Amino acid sequence: MSISNGLNLALARKVIKAMIRFSIDNEMLPGSYAVTDSGGHVVAMERRPIALPATVDLAIDKAWTASVMKISAKVLDQVITKGQYGRLNVKYHGRMTLIYGAVPLIINGEVVGGIGHSGESIDGDEKIAQAGLAGVYREDELDAKVEEGLEIARNIAENVISYVNSNKFKPVAITINDRDGWPILIYRMDNTPFGFVEISRSRAWTASAFKMDSHDAIKYVGSINECPNGEESNERFNTTQGGIFIDHNILSSIGIAGNTPEIDYKIAVNSIKSI
Amino acid sequence: MNQFVDTDIAIIGAGIAGTSIARELSKYDLSVIVIERKNGIGLEGTATNHHLVCQGGDSLTFRPGTLHAELNIKSIPLWPKLAEDLNFKFRRIGGLWLIRDNVDFNKFQKMYSRAFKSSLDPKSPYLIPEGSFIPLKFIDRKELKDLEPEISDEFIGALYDPNLATVDPPEVAKAYAENAKANGVNFLFNTEIKKINKVLDKFELISDKISIRSKVVINAAGIEADKIAELVKARDFSYVPFKGTIVELDDELGEKIKHEVLVLPRGSSHMQVIAPTVDNKLLAGIHLEMSYRSNREVKDYAVKHAINVSKKFFPKIQFEKHITRSFTGFMAMTNPDTGWHDFVIGMPDLVPYWINIVLGPAGVSASPYLGKKVVELLHKFGINLVEKKNFSNVRKEVES
Ligand SMILES: Cc1cc2nc3c(=O)[nH]c(=O)nc-3n(C[C@H](O)[C@H](O)[C@H](O)COP(=O)(O)OP(=O)(O)OC[C@H]3O[C@@H](n4cnc5c(N)ncnc54)[C@H](O)[C@@H]3O)c2cc1C
């Protein structure tokens, strides 16, 4: 892998692994680890299954902030807003996250994305995000033993990627949720339009929430208007095909998006054949 | 079967960090071993840099409160005596920070005033003793031309730092090492540490031919400090390698340019500096980029940067004809996204008796005080150091 390929899923995963390794080696609190592209859209996110559910969107929003402000939250706070970030924070429905642990991903002197961590103290979050940036510039891949749920989620995602590639389907976004309906993993394959990230998340959420494939939910719920839909609180209803329920002790759903719903469904079903 | 040796303190890396610490520790009753993978002293980062010793203005602008500032400022008064004791060349060249317009002037004024508040203020923890520092001053175009006759008319003056000095860093590292050796420190060359075990209360540092058991380990492996620390889960810091490219120019030009000349970069992160060396050559650069550490190749664009910078300062000189070599070097930059670099000199909470050293920019300049900081740290962690009665502070003979 070379840095000159720019930000892609492989690099984002490498950054996340570097963060997890740092946090485990230093016995830090488990959290969520996110990498976003230059527009703030998720390229990859992983959450350690023992980490707080709410860290998912905090990590993503930190990465988003570093991406779209092209600067770290630490500098925004200390140099630019000088502690007065409340005014900035009301914009974008509070998504602007000036909490440490939001670091720009820099390649060839250019900010090509953002790195976010949530789950530790602000100083811990900052150190872990910095470890992610350092990971970009390591030619070796740092790794660490992670909890079973995350390891299985990674395997499923790898199954998806190789199935999509070998069948020449369009690249997809993948979301894998735990039993509470919170993401353990979100990956966006290279060249997947970013809009599919949220679709994969909502398909997965629907499958988790109703313990059935996303397209079956409408039969039981009746009307789409009945359903919760508040992305801010991770409630996202989507009854198109592509979200499947899995009966597993840690994980509960997979959401795939990027092709027609029928193909996305097929990809999702195939991905769990081996687990 | 590997051969085993036991020691009180093992230092990994014989760059400026490892050798300066070894020399300081050789003042105490301890067994110390320095382990180096190469076959000599200071052959990595210590050999590939700009040779500057920030004796004044530069260190005074470093971020207050950092080890980077503290060590550099505290090293200022130590250098001249060290050069005398250890018999290495120490040349005061002085720095000219060029001024194009009011923007530069105002910036320098700000940097300069902060510098004074944080260092010469008697309440400051980093007081520079009287006599070791000549205050900086602004000079106009005429004075600038007197100091550097061929300088471009583009510049209306400069901030002049008479203190700035240069050394040959590998020579300094050798001097530290030889003095340390004369005081009982052992050196193992061609010995690369590949694995580390924790055996009871000792670290076992393993290379292909020998294993070293030591109670205390000082990780001074330069750009590899992260990987070494990871071997014992002691990496509680992060950095990005910055690749710097420097062009060396011959001593014919060294006769013409006698000061460090620098301008603040605008819209670019590459340094713009040219400076003489102890042997009258010149070093110009510095093209800086975040990079894999294995990527040591000298790129044309980086050489071009150095030449363009030199020509901007001295438009009448044909620099291309005077290039003797170009080289790249790596420095570890912590907080690379903010530029708020700091040294790492610390013991991770989870790995007692393990000390990480990461220098990065201005590491050579900070080396006289570095060992003292490590001694402070050892004391803090309850390691009893007893001063030797027969320590010899002068270098006796120079090894060939
Ligand atoms: C372009 C550039 C310009 C610079 N300009 C200046 C300047 O003008 N002034 C200044 O003060 N500073 C400058 N610096 C910074 C300075 O060069 C460094 O701070 C300093 O050299 C770092 O010294 P070190 O001892 O930490 O590392 P090194 O000199 O790299 O020493 C580390 C040693 O550890 C050894 N090692 C690594 N791994 C192992 C292993 N596994 N087993 C055994 N041994 C191992 C290596 O072989 C090496 O000899 C510059 C740096 C760069 C890159």
Side-chain angles (χ1 to χ4, degrees):
Chain A
M1 192 196 316
S2 132
I3 323 171
S4 55
N5 291 343
L7 175 56
N8 55 19
L9 177 58
L11 183 67
R13 291 186 63 186
K14 182 175 163 176
V15 167
I16 288 173
K17 281 184 171 172
M19 286 196 272
I20 294 180
R21 167 71 181 264
F22 185 88
S23 117
I24 289 179
D25 275 4
N26 288 289
E27 297 182 17
M28 299 168 94
L29 293 171
S32 292
Y33 312 80
V35 175
T36 53
D37 66 15
S38 55
H41 313 293
V42 174
V43 181
M45 189 291 302
E46 289 183 2
R47 174 169 65 95
R48 294 184 38 211
I50 47 175
L52 306 176
T55 57
V56 169
D57 288 297
L58 288 171
I60 291 173
D61 288 353
K62 285 186 188 185
W64 179 89
T65 302
S67 282
V68 300
M69 296 300 283
K70 312 270 175 235
I71 203 171
S72 79
K74 196 166 178 175
V75 180
L76 267 174
D77 177 43
Q78 290 189 17
V79 181
I80 317 280
T81 63
K82 302 197 170 162
Q84 311 238 325
Y85 75 83
R87 310 261 297 274
L88 262 184
N89 198 39
V90 298
K91 292 279 174 206
Y92 303 104
H93 304 287
R95 198 168 184 198
M96 195 69 77
T97 311
L98 273 74
I99 303 175
Y100 300 179
V103 164
L105 201 163
I106 308 166
I107 297 178
N108 290 334
E110 208 181 307
V111 177
V112 299
I115 301 170
H117 180 267
S118 168
E120 252 288 337
S121 66
I122 54 166
D123 293 331
D125 283 345
E126 178 69 16
K127 279 189 158 195
I128 294 170
Q130 290 285 347
L133 178 56
V136 174
Y137 292 92
R138 283 287 289 259
E139 42 273 90
D140 50 340
E141 186 135 338
L142 293 167
D143 208 350
K145 176 123 190 67
V146 291
E147 294 78 16
E148 190 197 357
L150 178 53
E151 204 171 297
I152 295 171
R154 285 178 180 169
N155 290 339
I156 294 173
E158 275 156 22
N159 288 346
V160 169
I161 293 167
S162 60
Y163 185 68
V164 165
N165 287 337
S166 59
N167 286 284
K168 300 207 163 61
F169 294 137
K170 287 187 175 167
V172 298
I174 309 160
T175 300
I176 301 174
N177 283 350
D178 68 7
R179 290 178 65 89
D180 292 325
W182 286 87
I184 292 289
L185 175 152
I186 304 172
Y187 284 175
R188 173 154 58 100
M189 287 175 66
D190 299 345
N191 302 318
T192 311
F194 58 75
F196 288 110
V197 173
E198 291 303 312
I199 307 294
S200 83
R201 265 190 89 166
S202 50
R203 285 175 180 166
W205 183 83
T206 306
S208 293
F210 298 96
K211 295 195 171 192
M212 60 183 70
D213 293 347
S214 51
H215 58 273
D216 286 335
I218 196 75
K219 296 179 206 153
Y220 290 83
V221 178
S223 157
I224 197 163
N225 298 328
E226 300 295 321
C227 292
N229 206 351
E231 275 184 17
E232 282 102 64
S233 45
N234 190 41
E235 291 183 357
R236 21 176 106 230
F237 194 49
N238 185 318
T239 61
T240 50
Q241 275 181 303
I244 63 165
F245 173 66
I246 46 176
D247 200 7
H248 182 265
N249 62 338
I250 303 164
L251 306 175
S252 76
S253 69
I254 299 165
I256 300 292
N259 294 271
T260 59
E262 296 74 25
I263 293 177
D264 288 340
Y265 174 70
K266 198 167 142 184
I267 295 167
V269 171
N270 187 276
S271 71
I272 53 165
K273 275 189 182 150
S274 59
I275 67 157
Chain B
M1 221 351 239
N2 256 6
Q3 186 194 337
F4 278 101
V5 286
D6 270 276
T7 184
D8 296 327
I9 300 188
I11 300 173
I12 305 174
I16 203 81
T19 55
S20 62
I21 294 167
R23 195 247 177 183
E24 193 65 30
L25 292 177
S26 74
K27 295 178 179 170
Y28 300 89
D29 260 323
L30 290 166
S31 57
V32 179
I33 296 181
V34 179
I35 305 149
E36 169 58 50
R37 64 179 174 187
K38 300 247 161 165
N39 64 359
I41 304 282
L43 297 176
E44 290 271 323
T46 298
T48 52
N49 59 67
H50 221 96
H51 297 198
L52 295 169
V53 175
C54 310
Q55 275 283 286
D58 285 321
S59 6
L60 296 177
T61 63
F62 296 159
R63 215 171 140 77
T66 59
L67 290 165
H68 189 223
E70 182 191 344
L71 265 69
N72 269 291
I73 293 170
K74 287 184 175 172
S75 290
I76 291 175
L78 305 179
W79 273 106
K81 173 142 191 332
L82 195 66
E84 201 175 294
D85 284 353
L86 299 186
N87 189 27
F88 58 78
K89 288 176 241 121
F90 177 79
R91 175 179 173 198
R92 272 198 204 276
I93 48 177
L96 292 165
W97 303 1
L98 301 177
I99 297 170
R100 286 158 290 201
D101 50 28
N102 259 341
V103 177
D104 285 336
F105 179 73
N106 290 336
K107 238 184 193 157
F108 285 143
Q109 234 174 3
K110 211 169 139 197
M111 289 161 85
Y112 182 64
S113 76
R114 181 178 91 179
F116 271 78
K117 267 189 218 127
S118 70
S119 63
L120 294 185
D121 178 341
K123 276 180 275 164
S124 156
Y126 309 147
L127 182 68
I128 303 175
E130 225 172 303
S132 351
F133 179 74
I134 303 168
L136 277 60
K137 64 171 186 191
F138 284 106
I139 58 173
D140 62 17
R141 184 180 267 139
K142 184 180 167 304
E143 288 170 290
L144 175 60
K145 287 258 180 197
D146 286 345
L147 292 172
E148 285 299 340
E150 303 217 20
I151 201 97
S152 159
D153 293 333
E154 188 199 335
F155 304 103
I156 58 175
L159 177 58
Y160 177 44
D161 174 4
N163 307 283
L164 189 82
T166 183
V167 292
D168 177 21
E171 192 206 347
V172 178
K174 262 190 211 127
Y176 282 128
E178 285 175 12
N179 188 227
K181 195 173 172 192
N183 286 296
V185 172
N186 285 310
F187 286 80
L188 290 174
F189 293 105
N190 303 308
T191 307
E192 180 168 9
I193 300 304
K194 293 186 169 162
K195 203 175 155 221
I196 304 175
N197 294 330
K198 194 85 213 279
V199 183
L200 297 174
D201 63 341
K202 290 208 165 188
F203 296 98
E204 188 176 290
L205 311 177
I206 301 168
S207 77
D208 288 340
K209 45 180 187 180
I210 194 165
S211 295
I212 299 101
R213 290 205 180 127
S214 184
K215 184 171 162 67
V216 176
V217 173
I218 297 169
N219 168 17
I223 203 67
E224 304 288 10
D226 53 355
K227 291 186 182 171
I228 292 288
E230 277 159 14
L231 296 175
V232 277
K233 300 193 177 180
R235 183 168 74 85
D236 60 352
F237 56 85
S238 297
Y239 56 74
V240 168
F242 270 58
K243 174 183 178 180
T245 306
I246 294 175
V247 172
E248 188 191 75
L249 302 150
D250 63 21
D251 50 8
E252 198 180 313
L253 285 190
E255 287 301 322
K256 287 191 177 158
I257 299 168
K258 294 290 186 191
H259 300 82
E260 180 216 35
V261 178
L262 176 146
V263 76
L264 293 177
R266 284 183 183 167
S268 148
S269 53
H270 307 300
M271 287 183 68
Q272 303 190 9
V273 55
I274 185 165
T277 67
V278 286
D279 46 10
N280 233 11
K281 289 182 176 154
L282 289 165
L283 297 175
I286 305 173
H287 186 279
L288 283 171
E289 54 195 324
M290 296 184 178
S291 160
Y292 283 161
R293 65 198 71 182
S294 57
N295 173 16
R296 294 174 176 231
E297 195 190 340
V298 174
K299 298 277 189 192
D300 287 346
Y301 56 74
V303 172
K304 214 171 264 169
H305 168 78
I307 297 302
N308 288 345
V309 166
S310 309
K311 281 188 172 162
K312 183 159 117 185
F313 297 156
F314 301 97
K316 287 191 219 114
I317 299 178
Q318 295 271 309
F319 287 93
E320 289 91 339
K321 291 190 188 151
H322 296 272
I323 298 177
T324 43
R325 67 187 178 114
S326 306
F327 57 90
T328 58
F330 285 86
M331 58 183 145
M333 199 75 90
T334 61
N335 300 307
D337 58 321
T338 57
W340 295 343
H341 171 78
D342 199 3
F343 295 160
V344 176
I345 303 169
M347 206 182 273
D349 294 342
L350 297 171
V351 193
Y353 303 118
W354 176 278
I355 296 177
N356 288 312
I357 308 288
V358 177
L359 295 182
V364 173
S365 304
S367 64
Y369 201 82
L370 174 61
K372 298 184 195 302
K373 197 74 194 172
V374 170
V375 168
E376 266 176 40
L377 199 64
L378 291 171
H379 275 301
K380 199 173 129 197
F381 285 92
I383 295 161
N384 193 24
L385 301 181
V386 181
E387 278 190 44
K388 264 183 206 159
K389 292 201 183 69
N390 55 349
F391 172 75
S392 161
N393 64 323
V394 291
R395 182 158 65 144
K396 298 251 165 59
E397 64 196 67
V398 183
E399 276 178 28
S400 58

